[in-house]
Amino acid sequence: MPDRSADTVGTLVGMDSSERYLHAAVAASAVVIRDYSTSFSLAARMMPCRVRDHITSIYGLVRVADEIVDGACPTDPRAHLDALEASVEAAISDGFSANLVVHAFAATARATGFGTELTRPFFASMRADLTPASHTPESLAAYIHGSAEVVGLMCLRAYLYGVPASSRPARSAPGAGSDYERLAPDAARLGAAFQKVNFLRDLTDDELRLGRAYLPELTQQAFDDALDDAAADLAAGRAGIARLPRDVQRGVRAAADLYGELVRRLRSAGLDGARSGRVRVPTTAKATVLARSVVAPQ
């Protein structure tokens, strides 16, 4: 992908038409992320240049799909979600979309080597949100896989793409298998942790506005158990960060640390506090968490 860090007239003039279009596509995804998630935007900026645009492109598309099912689309969200999935598959196949966010995502998918094995579970989970129903343990596991674990796997593909020799991930054990295969369980579990924390911090919006029950019959004990489950996934995912390419570790650690702070604040708030409003990390606290992530030893 073109390097957007040197965003000058000279740089743009030096690009051919396809490079300039991709530059604009990634910039569009960056605007989406910046408007919807200051935490993620900050963490993404801690990524090395070789990865930053790919991560931005992945989350730009994910956010658009989220907004379709969360109320931004006033008429027939299912049709719009189906059209978005079809446009993603077409763009991955032929390398172009007139939708800038889709174009950026497809460019990342083609470059880093993922396709419908990850996008189809994602869209299946997004589609499940259009018909809210109480989840069973089995349906919730499938939902988390599609809505979060596969996003972690998309990011892992980006982390491993074009890795310089000096940043190669450390092998945890000898044996067969690619870096992706060895690191995938940790990446999936970190994605699951983020989603489980989001369930708990979004209780009011999910239950009252959207009519969703990801965690039905939630008592204080069930809330505490769900937090413990999310924290266990977060700890397991964090343990795998040291096996990622060295140049992405700080950015991933920053995101994990922000969610660790959310876990702490949710414990303090309890079920009643979580239901009274979305639990957030204030800007000053975010800055402190991110600063610790920057100075932490690799």
Side-chain angles (χ1 to χ4, degrees), residues 5-295:
S5 61
D7 192 3
T8 65
V9 173
T11 300
L12 293 175
V13 170
M15 294 178 181
D16 65 24
S17 294
S18 62
E19 290 171 334
R20 191 162 186 172
Y21 189 78
L22 180 56
H23 182 280
V26 176
S29 292
V31 170
V32 171
I33 295 303
R34 192 164 56 246
D35 282 359
Y36 279 100
S37 177
T38 56
S39 296
F40 178 77
S41 182
L42 288 169
R45 289 203 290 271
M46 296 177 69
M47 290 291 179
C49 289
R50 70 173 185 85
V51 169
R52 191 178 305 137
D53 285 356
H54 290 306
I55 300 301
T56 298
S57 298
I58 290 167
Y59 274 91
L61 187 281
V62 167
R63 175 50 61 184
V64 168
D66 273 341
E67 292 307 309
I68 288 174
V69 301
D70 283 355
C73 177
T75 58
D76 203 352
R78 184 177 299 275
H80 283 280
L81 189 67
D82 290 347
L84 181 64
E85 181 176 18
S87 68
V88 165
E89 292 196 10
I92 291 174
S93 176
D94 70 16
F96 182 82
S97 175
N99 179 319
L100 288 172
V101 172
V102 171
H103 184 82
F105 178 86
T108 284
R110 288 164 64 90
T112 64
F114 68 82
T116 56
E117 78 285 355
L118 297 183
T119 61
R120 287 181 180 174
F122 170 73
F123 279 102
S125 287
M126 294 299 97
R127 207 167 279 113
D129 277 337
L130 294 173
T131 52
S134 294
H135 276 285
T136 65
E138 294 75 21
S139 69
L140 185 62
Y143 178 85
I144 290 171
H145 173 69
S147 65
E149 291 179 355
V150 299
V151 178
L153 296 175
M154 292 174 192
C155 291
L156 179 59
R157 285 292 190 192
Y159 299 153
L160 295 174
Y161 174 70
V163 181
S166 61
S167 291
R168 290 283 174 191
R171 293 173 180 255
S172 56
S178 66
D179 288 335
Y180 177 80
E181 291 168 331
R182 281 190 296 275
L183 295 168
D186 294 330
R189 201 157 179 194
L190 195 59
F194 293 173
Q195 181 65 287
K196 290 173 182 179
V197 172
N198 285 339
F199 288 156
L200 297 172
R201 71 191 297 234
D202 292 336
L203 284 175
T204 302
D205 197 48
D206 286 338
E207 292 177 349
L208 298 182
R209 184 175 70 86
L210 299 172
R212 297 173 188 162
Y214 297 114
L215 303 169
E217 300 180 9
L218 197 59
T219 63
Q220 180 61 54
Q221 184 59 57
F223 179 86
D224 292 340
D225 291 344
L227 261 181
D228 289 343
D229 182 45
D233 279 342
L234 189 60
R238 281 182 59 86
I241 292 174
R243 294 188 287 274
L244 290 172
R246 284 184 286 276
D247 62 348
V248 304
Q249 288 179 16
R250 284 198 172 98
V252 179
R253 187 182 299 112
D257 287 349
L258 285 171
Y259 272 84
E261 179 64 15
L262 278 169
V263 169
R264 188 187 71 77
R265 289 172 180 269
L266 283 163
R267 286 198 192 282
S268 178
L271 177 58
D272 289 343
R275 281 205 163 118
S276 68
R278 196 169 196 253
V279 174
R280 299 177 182 274
V281 179
T283 301
T284 53
K286 284 179 186 175
T288 300
V289 170
L290 293 174
R292 285 200 303 264
S293 301
V294 168
V295 301

